[in-house]
Amino acid sequence: MCCHSVITVRSMEERRACEERLGQVVEKMKKEGIDMSQWRLGTFQRTICPQCEGGSTEERSLSVFIREDGTHGNWTCFRANCGWKGYTQPDGVPKAYQAKKDSGNENESDQEVKANQPVKVIRKLREEDLRLEPLCDELVTYFSERMISAKTLRRNNVSQRKRNNKIVIAFTYRRDKVLVGCKYREVSKKFSQEANTEKILYGLDDIKQARDIIIVEGEIDKLSMEEAGYRNCVSVPDGAPAQVSNKLPDKDHDKKYSYLWNCKEYLDPASRIILATDADPPGQALAEELARRLGKERCWRVKWPKKNETEFCKDANEVLMFLGPQALKEVIEGAELYPIRGLFNFKDFFPEIDSYYLGIHGDELGIPTGWKCMDGLYKVVPGELTIVTGVPNSGKSEWIDALLCNINNQCGWKFVLCSMENKVRDHARKLLEKHIKKPFFDARYGGSVERMSKDEFEEGKEWLNESFHLIRCEDDCLPSIDWVLNLAKAAVLRHGVRGLVIDPYNELDHQRPPNQTETEYVSQILTKIKRFAQHHSCHVWFVAHPRQLHNWTGAPPNMYDISGSAHFINKCDNGIVIHRNRDPDAGPVDVVQVCMKKVRNKVIGQIGDAFLTYDRITGEYKEADEAIVAKVVKQQIRQKSTSYQR
């Protein structure tokens, strides 16, 4: 029969009385020889037992608990050669609390009593009330067919009982050999259990002081583990959830998994917990729920083997039945660390590392730029960030467009362009001229070169539409980096683009919290861009203008000259300065210097300069003659010397 009691605590009235009760409990424990350096309430503490003094190893084997409201305290020594236990309470305990103790509810000590919260008294079972019987031959045979021996059944007190004119299997739940609960199973797998009993793990006494623990999903799986030689195994009492819960509740509201809290003192000493739940989705959800509560850092998980050519074993008993005890033992020995989000072994990446070594993807050494003089300095690798800078009107955007056209022509890469300084029609013209190698208009800048034909124009439009996608802000608002990256993600997933261009940095919305510096903000957005690039295996070119240069001599700027923060060079994978010759005395003004200022990955390049010539008619870039390069370099050396003399 179920007994209930409601205890109400009104904090204002009880505060002084609670403090007095706690003081009495502590003093009574001290008289028993229990003295803690710091008393903590509502939690189990470990100390050396005054009776056995922890044996020769001075083990802290005494578990001490004081209820938060001061109504009682208890202690238990878990050393097998000692087992000293006791219970104390203050003088004048309210009758409701005394009645709860008299009802046999000594397992309620780890539940906190809150203001006006009803407390349910746990039912205490007696062996004689359940009328359990030894297993009949029919049920012994049933277990034998499942490879469970009579010896294992006897050791685990597996019994039978007549219920509703049926004989059912009775799995007794015990703590310190005392009956706590009982679960019934029909051969047809219909389950029931004694109501209002404390929830604990099945086989709890088998894991007392165990350093390694195995947790399974059913009582028969626990018995199966014993057949494989593992007694340090327990089963959950209530089966598996349909799915993982969204939020982890606190202890007081964690009703479904209360058995973990009730068995906490048995589980805490374990340094390794192997989760051998069922292979189906609910079983995997249970493993996740258990790991979240027990601590993933000390959890392992098993992989169930195949039972035939097409099917995998679902649980421990299936392994025992189909493959035998040695196979089940190998499953446990082969348990793997439970995955923790963000924490990996190199082994987890071996397939990726193997592909990298074998060059399976073809881009491991980078994608050539299309200019031989550049390829020794810089190649394009998926997942990297390249910062491009240069003084205004140096051709940063034009050079990137030419690079994209070269890569598309070689590898068929697709790109998404967020180019805020270009009108769509002007950007289309520049790309088409580079692709078709003819001027868009029959205009003065084209000189005597024939304009692209109508057919070439139509073919170019098809190429343009297939190769490039646009990110455009359709209103007057400035786009934020999050907005750009979200659309770029959609382009990667929908269109398979491999490259993103953000041009330029100063056209983005840079609103930031008042307590965030520009340096911190730049670091944050560069981190977001790098994570996007790595996660989606997409190369990102990010154009950033240098700050205003005072006393500029015409030499190429440095990456540290970028307006905003030194993080532009610190956090990028590749740093490029585009510089155009503006001095006719130094050589042709169509010479463009591409300065590699940073290359993180030595496999794909190195620091150095390459020189190209810019065709103003078609927008193409070609490698510069050696004589021209020598003249430009000589003039730059002269400029530096003059600058130092000043």
Side-chain angles (χ1 to χ4, degrees), residues 258-277:
S258 61
Y259 53 85
L260 294 178
W261 301 106
N262 295 338
C263 301
K264 189 173 186 297
E265 60 186 291
Y266 287 79
L267 296 168
D268 281 353
S271 58
R272 183 171 183 255
I273 300 175
I274 299 174
L275 304 178
T277 55

Side-chain angles (χ1 to χ4, degrees), residues 496-522:
V497 304
R498 302 297 305 276
L500 163 66
V501 177
I502 305 174
D503 181 12
Y505 162 76
N506 63 335
E507 290 288 339
L508 295 172
D509 181 8
H510 297 307
Q511 293 186 32
R512 63 179 190 270
N515 60 344
Q516 187 180 44
T517 66
E518 184 177 17
T519 297
E520 293 169 338
Y521 169 74
V522 170

